[in-house]
Amino acid sequence: MTPKIVDVRTVTVIGFEISGTQDEITALRPEWTKRFLKAASLIPGQTDGNLMDICLKRAGQLYTHCIAMAVKQIDIIPSGMTNSTIPSGSYALLEFHGSDDEIQFAFRTILQWAREHKVRLDSNEFRIDVTIEEGHHHLYWRLADKRSEAIEEAV
């Protein structure tokens, strides 16, 4: 269970967004996922049907997550849903086999690996959990964008 660096292309997703602390999101996730799965059939143009839990951004202790599915294009966005873009770039990928309750610890494995290998991860914690099948997940953590970091340092 060792992460590796992969290049990811831009992906458009449609789903439900939620904001809150990590504890609030963790508590709401089961009901929120259930609600999304009931409505997922309304999403046109799905690519693979894999459920994605995306941490879009972090601001202090508040996080914005999106439960979504990838789409080929945006034709119709079902009521109450939104579209988001997974930016292309380099990501740390960990193929994880285990229970949903262990996913947060698997992301810590990526963090520890990054520290040991001096790999800089995105400071906004842009992370993606793709459910391939029950108990099998692909976990992605975006790498820091050196170009935008250089611009921030220059300002």
Side-chain angles (χ1 to χ4, degrees), residues 3-75:
K4 61 184 175 183
I5 296 175
V6 297
D7 288 324
V8 172
R9 62 178 173 74
T10 300
V11 177
T12 301
V13 299
I14 293 178
F16 291 128
E17 280 190 20
I18 189 170
S19 294
T21 66
Q22 279 292 66
D23 289 342
E24 291 168 341
I25 290 172
T26 299
L28 293 170
R29 183 174 282 118
E31 182 58 36
W32 182 45
T33 301
K34 186 175 167 182
R35 181 177 148 226
F36 176 76
L37 290 173
K38 281 184 182 178
S41 63
L42 301 174
I43 300 172
Q46 296 178 30
T47 59
D48 55 20
N50 290 336
L51 180 69
M52 303 171 87
D53 182 345
I54 307 161
C55 179
L56 296 170
K57 63 183 171 185
R58 175 184 64 111
Q61 296 298 313
L62 294 178
Y63 292 79
T64 300
H65 277 246
C66 182
I67 294 279
M69 288 187 177
V71 295
K72 295 174 195 144
Q73 60 195 31
I74 299 174
D75 292 325

Side-chain angles (χ1 to χ4, degrees), residues 1 94 96 100-111 139:
M1 204 165 77
L94 177 68
F96 174 71
D100 290 352
D101 295 340
E102 299 172 304
I103 290 172
Q104 65 181 339
F105 302 109
F107 273 115
R108 289 187 189 143
T109 299
I110 295 173
L111 183 59
L139 306 178

